[in-house]
Amino acid sequence: MTQNATAYLAHNAYRSAAVAVPPLKAVVMLYDGAITLLQKALDAHEAKRFEEGHTYLTRATAILRGLSHHLDVTRGGAMADRLFRTYNALIMACLRSYGRPHARENFRRIIASLTELRDAWKFVEATAGKAGKAKTLDKTLESAAGR
């Protein structure tokens, strides 16, 4: 698969997830997908199914690429820039680690990093959900009080 085709698939995967579920939930789901695919790539590599492992690795990095290309730097500022650099560093670490003698340790660190990011986004999702429910409750109480 060419680089452009992979980028196209990553873009479509992100757009499909963003339309089907709320954006924060989509981000968490994409992290989960990347983590699962990296684990499968590592398992396939250790079982000497290199082509299968490479396919999983390509799909995982496509997700990370999709996440990095959908950052809004104008709204996210320094945080969006930092996430962009983090995603790209993780992609490069994945590509450099696969097939190397210490792939297991490297992939464990990459997966741990992605898990930490996923958990942070889960927290943001939960916090935003509570804030949204509180606003809805406030509006409901205001309209019930006749304000």
Side-chain angles (χ1 to χ4, degrees):
M1 185 176 292
T2 66
Q3 187 73 4
N4 288 338
T6 303
Y8 177 77
L9 291 174
H11 177 73
N12 282 343
Y14 182 86
R15 284 184 49 187
S16 296
V19 171
V21 296
L24 290 174
K25 182 136 185 91
V27 170
V28 171
M29 290 171 63
L30 288 166
Y31 275 113
D32 284 337
I35 291 166
T36 300
L37 289 167
L38 287 175
Q39 186 59 54
K40 287 181 177 183
L42 181 60
D43 293 343
H45 176 265
E46 290 178 343
K48 301 200 184 309
R49 297 187 317 267
F50 299 114
E51 189 172 325
E52 179 184 339
H54 184 265
T55 300
Y56 288 132
L57 176 68
T58 302
R59 289 173 60 196
T61 58
I63 289 172
L64 294 175
R65 211 173 10 263
L67 286 168
S68 73
H69 291 305
H70 281 84
L71 292 169
D72 187 348
V73 180
T74 57
R75 289 177 58 199
M79 179 59 75
D81 183 54
R82 176 71 181 194
L83 278 170
F84 182 81
R85 287 186 280 128
T86 300
Y87 291 142
N88 286 322
L90 288 168
I91 290 167
M92 292 307 296
C94 288
L95 296 174
R96 286 186 186 131
S97 297
Y98 191 75
R100 302 285 194 244
H102 300 289
R104 173 169 278 292
E105 295 84 20
N106 293 340
F107 270 79
R108 292 275 181 231
R109 284 194 297 264
I110 294 165
I111 290 169
S113 296
L114 285 172
T115 301
E116 187 175 336
L117 284 168
R118 187 226 25 228
D119 292 345
W121 280 108
K122 272 187 177 180
F123 177 77
V124 169
E125 178 190 13
T127 304
K130 288 178 185 176
K133 288 178 186 174
K135 285 182 185 178
T136 303
L137 180 60
D138 287 345
K139 287 180 183 178
T140 304
L141 292 174
E142 285 177 5
S143 29
R147 293 184 187 166

